[in-house]
Every structure is written in structure tokens, then in C-alpha cells.
Amino acid sequence: MTATQTSTQPVGSAAPSVAEVEASCRLPVLFFAFSGAVWLLLGAVLALLASIQLHDPGFMAGCPWVTYGRLRPAAVNALVYGFALQTSFGLALWLIARLGRVELTNPLGIFIAGKFWNLAVTVGVFGILAGDATGFDLLEFPLYAALPLFVSYACIGAWTLITLKARTERSLYVSLWFVLAALLWFPWILSTAQGLLLGWRVPGVMQAIVAGWFGNNLLQIVLTGVALAVMYYFIPKTVKRPVHSQALAQHGFWLLLLLGSWGGLSQLAAVPAWIPAISGAANVLVVVPVLVLLLNLYRTADGKIGEAWKQSAVFRFLIVSAVVLLGVTVRTAVFGIGAGARFTQFTYFAAARTEIVVLGVFGMAALGALHYITPRLTMARDDLPSEGLGDLSFWAALVGILSIVIGFSLAGLSQGAVNSVADKNFLSEAVVGVSGQLKLVTFGYAAVAVAALAFLANFALALRRCCAACCGGAR
């Protein structure tokens, strides 16, 4: 529980200690953290191989399993379902247990469900590489992987919500608003999209609308929501202040849910004109709740940002996540409506939004939180086994994300300039001419892989320290 909360524990009920709470969620949270980091590494490597083919088409030529059309969706889905969503489960479990002052319900069952989730993601990635992708953005997993994925989440989500209901701290802190919204939002959008696209198979243009709606909600509400939950827990905790305004947080939360779900359709081509218009307006309006939420955090940390940046590795991760969130929101507002949307349509600029949210917004927030949670769950200590590896993970992730964002954005703007002039040679200028920017993207994915490796090394050291302490205690 943070300093921003006051206890409303019912009289006569005994809240478990922090040690008991963390012991109850140790197995599933550490499993999700480790598995998520492994998928971050694997996804970055797949994306690295795909990006090389953008500026070196002959790379790994001749094998259909590793063509760009398969590597790219396999990498994106590995990052989204293997890293981002799985890490979200671990963060949600830990936040609910800590802020609700409650022991986790059925941690072994959640761990087993997490095993099946990883199995389903593995089958899905191999299905994409084998050529069974559905062709829908962020929903490329074939049906034989998508259905087990949903069943696994149903078990994880159900036990998580049961834990939330059993909490002894009855007041819901701001972070839990976002966690609860993400937990309920994801099964709704996933079941709806899978039902309409893979089950009933809605015809024609409706497929693009459903896929765009799902992708936007996954990025804007689910992953961004979990990132905000992490920010609202750790930033006040780091600076040792309560949240500046609960009212601002509440208004920003409801506005984000109301406006954020309408975006994602502004660059669809063969749809009625009113759909991109409404979606583009939503892209602009969603700047308001994001500004409100981030301004509230800024006012919370005002005067202590420099000190916290120097002293806390977690805080550095979260500040970068917040800045990237503001940047991608403004970026989408400017280039997600009217002439801006038409200029960047069908370019790398538009496609880069997924990486910015998954790696820049959610990824930085999640890595920061895991650098705090991992040592406490393994040894009940505040310090990382290796501060040097923690710094390497931060700087490699920062450099990698900046390289990916800048590379894709510059390449996309160059393509937009070529597309807007009729007499331009598309092949030489929009494809070959952006190879330099795309090499920067390749470097960025390599840096992200280094960040994942550094975190995994710290994770292994934390487990080793824990085992050594346990064995020493036993002797």
C-alpha cells in the first residue's frame, strides 16, 4: 500500500502481512516476468531478422518460413502476446495483491494456466511462420492457437478477479482502476474480434473495421492502461508523495475509456468516409485524458524529478514511458486525421505505432516495474543483484526504442513524400531510398534484444542469490 491510500479495512478482518502477500504471488508473478522477458528477446530477434530483409532483400532468401511476410507478424505477435500481455498478467497480480492486501487466489492454477498461455503463443508463432496466419493485424494467430489462448486467459482472469474481490483493503487505488479495466476489456475485444473474423467471418470491409478496432483497443486501453497503472503506483512511491489529485486521475481514466476505444480506423481506405472522420476526431480528443493523467503525475513528482532520476532506476524507466506515451498520442493526433492520415497511409510511419506502444510505452513501464518487483519476490530486498545490468537494460532499451521510432518515422515520411508526387519512381525512392533509415530500425531491435538479455541476467542473479540464501539458511 502506498502513501496515497488510507486504510478502510473492515473491523475484525485480519490483513495478511506484506511477506505473506508476496509469498502467495511469487510463483506466478516470477513465471510471467521470466516468460515475458524471454518472449521480448525472441520477438526482438525475429523483428531484427525481418528488418534486415527490408534493406537487404536477399537475406535468408529461398526459405518461405523466414520471409518478411511471415517473420514480421510472428515478431509482432510474439511481442504482444508473449511479452506484453503476459507481463501484464504478472503486474496485475502483484498490484492487486499488494494494493488489496490480499493473498493470491490459487497461485498454482494461475501458474498452470500461464504454462498453457505460453504453449498457445508458441504454437501461434510457429503457425504464422508455417504460413497459417489469418492476415488480420495483431490477430494473426491461427484458430488452433487462438482458442487455447482465450481459454488460458479465462482461467488467469477469473482467478485474478476472485483475488480482487477478496481484498481486505476495500478502497480501489488509482492503479487498480486501470488494471480492472484492462482485465475486463481484453476478453471482450478478443472474443468479439475472434468471433467476427475467425468464427462468423464477417464479409468485406467489415473485416478491416473489426481488425482496426481490436488493434486500437488492445494498444490504447489494455497495454497503455497497464502502463498507467504502473506509473500511478511507482511514481508516487518513488517520490514519497500522494497522487496530486484523485479527481484528475478519475476524470482522465473515464475519458480515456470513453475516447480511446474509437481510434484506429482513421487510415482505412475502403470504408464509408464518416468512419475515418469519427476515428480521426477521437485520435485528437484522446490527447485530453492522456495530458490530464500525465500532468497529474508531473504535479505529483514536481520538484523531485531530478533527484528521483538519479537515485531510482525504476523512475527512469517510468519517465521515459510517460514521455513516449505523450509523444505517440500527439503523433497519432497529428497524423491520424485529414491530410496527415492520407500522407502517412500505407507507410512505415503508420505501422510503427504498434512498436511505440508495445516497447516504448508498455515495455519501459513494465521493465521498470519488474526491476523493482523481482528482487523483492526472490529475496525480499530492495536492491538489484547488479546495478550495472539494470543500467544496461535501461539505456539499451532507450536507445533501441528511439532508433526504431526514428527509423520507421523517417522512412514513413519519406514514403509519404514519394506517394504524394505522381512522377516519382516508387521503387527507387520509396523502397530503396529508405534503406538507410531502416538500418537504424535493425540497430534498434538489436539494442532491445540486449536490454532483454540484461534483464534476464539480472533475473538469473536474483534467483541465484535467493537459492544461496535459502541453502545457507538450511545449513
Side-chain angles (χ1 to χ4, degrees):
M1 186 171 66
T2 69
T4 59
Q5 292 179 284
T6 57
S7 177
T8 57
Q9 179 185 338
V11 177
S13 64
S17 66
V18 172
E20 292 171 332
V21 168
E22 294 195 333
S24 71
C25 60
R26 178 174 292 120
L27 176 63
V29 171
L30 288 179
F31 172 75
F32 286 131
F34 173 76
S35 301
V38 170
W39 279 111
L40 174 61
L41 175 60
L42 293 176
V45 170
L46 289 173
L48 170 66
L49 297 176
S51 67
I52 293 175
Q53 295 182 350
L54 292 176
H55 52 81
D56 184 6
F59 179 68
M60 295 193 301
C63 180
W65 280 64
V66 289
T67 57
Y68 180 80
R70 298 186 186 183
L71 278 175
R72 168 70 182 176
V76 171
N77 282 264
L79 290 172
V80 170
Y81 292 93
F83 163 61
L85 286 171
Q86 185 167 210
T87 308
S88 295
F89 303 155
L91 294 174
L93 291 170
W94 188 84
L95 286 170
I96 288 173
R98 283 295 298 265
L99 291 171
R101 297 189 352 188
V102 60
E103 294 183 45
L104 194 62
T105 301
N106 197 3
L108 181 59
I110 295 175
F111 169 73
I112 294 172
K115 286 278 191 179
F116 280 100
W117 176 276
N118 277 277
L119 179 61
V121 174
T122 303
V123 171
V125 169
F126 274 102
I128 294 173
L129 294 175
D132 290 342
T134 64
F136 301 114
D137 191 28
L138 299 181
L139 282 167
E140 282 96 349
F141 282 168
L143 192 59
Y144 54 77
L147 290 179
L149 205 71
F150 185 82
V151 174
S152 300
Y153 176 78
C155 297
I156 297 169
W159 283 315
T160 304
L161 292 175
I162 291 172
T163 301
L164 181 65
K165 185 178 184 299
R167 69 192 187 278
T168 60
E169 175 59 54
R170 302 310 299 171
S171 63
L172 281 176
Y173 178 62
V174 178
S175 294
L176 294 186
W177 303 348
F178 291 102
V179 167
L180 183 58
L183 288 173
L184 297 177
W185 215 270
F186 176 65
W188 168 51
I189 62 174
L190 182 65
S191 60
T192 301
Q194 286 183 344
L196 293 176
L197 296 176
L198 306 182
W200 291 282
R201 295 186 180 274
V202 293
V205 70
M206 281 300 300
Q207 295 181 357
I209 294 174
V210 172
W213 169 82
F214 170 80
N216 177 76
N217 277 266
L218 179 63
L219 298 175
Q220 188 80 62
I221 304 297
V222 179
L223 296 184
T224 299
V226 176
L228 285 166
V230 169
M231 293 180 204
Y232 267 87
Y233 180 84
F234 285 104
I235 289 179
K237 187 178 185 68
T238 302
V239 300
K240 297 180 174 60
R241 287 178 181 171
V243 171
H244 172 70
S245 171
Q246 291 281 343
L248 278 178
Q250 185 175 17
H251 295 328
F253 169 76
W254 287 111
L255 281 174
L256 182 64
L257 293 187
L258 177 64
L259 300 173
S261 61
W262 289 85
L265 305 176
S266 61
Q267 294 189 325
L268 296 182
V271 297
W274 62 268
I275 294 178
I278 292 177
S279 182
N283 288 334
V284 175
L285 292 175
V286 81
V287 174
V288 176
V290 170
L291 277 176
V292 168
L293 291 166
L294 295 182
L295 177 63
N296 201 23
L297 287 173
Y298 173 77
R299 296 293 297 273
T300 300
D302 190 21
K304 290 193 172 184
I305 295 176
E307 177 185 354
W309 177 275
K310 295 177 182 177
Q311 296 179 353
S312 173
V314 177
F315 188 81
R316 291 195 289 270
F317 277 101
L318 297 180
I319 287 297
V320 172
S321 175
V323 172
V324 174
L325 174 57
L326 179 60
V328 72
T329 305
V330 174
R331 177 185 188 272
T332 304
V334 173
F335 292 96
I337 189 172
R342 291 189 295 272
F343 184 79
T344 57
Q345 193 174 31
F346 309 125
T347 69
Y348 293 122
F349 189 95
R353 184 193 177 207
T354 299
E355 273 84 354
I356 298 174
V357 175
V358 173
L359 298 176
V361 179
F362 174 82
M364 292 299 287
L367 285 175
L370 292 179
H371 276 82
Y372 177 93
I373 294 170
T374 300
R376 283 158 179 78
L377 291 185
T378 53
M379 193 57 192
R381 289 173 59 172
D382 295 344
D383 60 316
L384 288 166
S386 171
E387 294 292 341
L389 285 174
D391 290 338
L392 175 61
S393 182
F394 169 75
W395 289 111
L398 177 60
V399 171
I401 290 161
L402 288 177
S403 299
I404 293 169
V405 172
I406 294 172
F408 269 138
S409 298
L410 291 178
L413 293 174
S414 298
Q415 288 179 321
V418 172
N419 293 339
S420 62
V421 180
D423 60 350
K424 290 281 188 178
N425 187 311
F426 181 83
L427 179 61
S428 64
E429 298 194 39
V431 179
V432 180
V434 298
S435 61
Q437 295 94 316
L438 296 176
K439 289 178 182 177
L440 185 60
V441 174
T442 301
F443 172 77
Y445 285 123
V448 171
V450 171
L453 277 173
F455 172 77
L456 286 170
N458 239 341
F459 190 95
L461 290 175
L463 289 180
R464 179 184 177 185
R465 185 174 66 180
C466 180
C467 292
C470 291
C471 293
R475 290 194 296 269

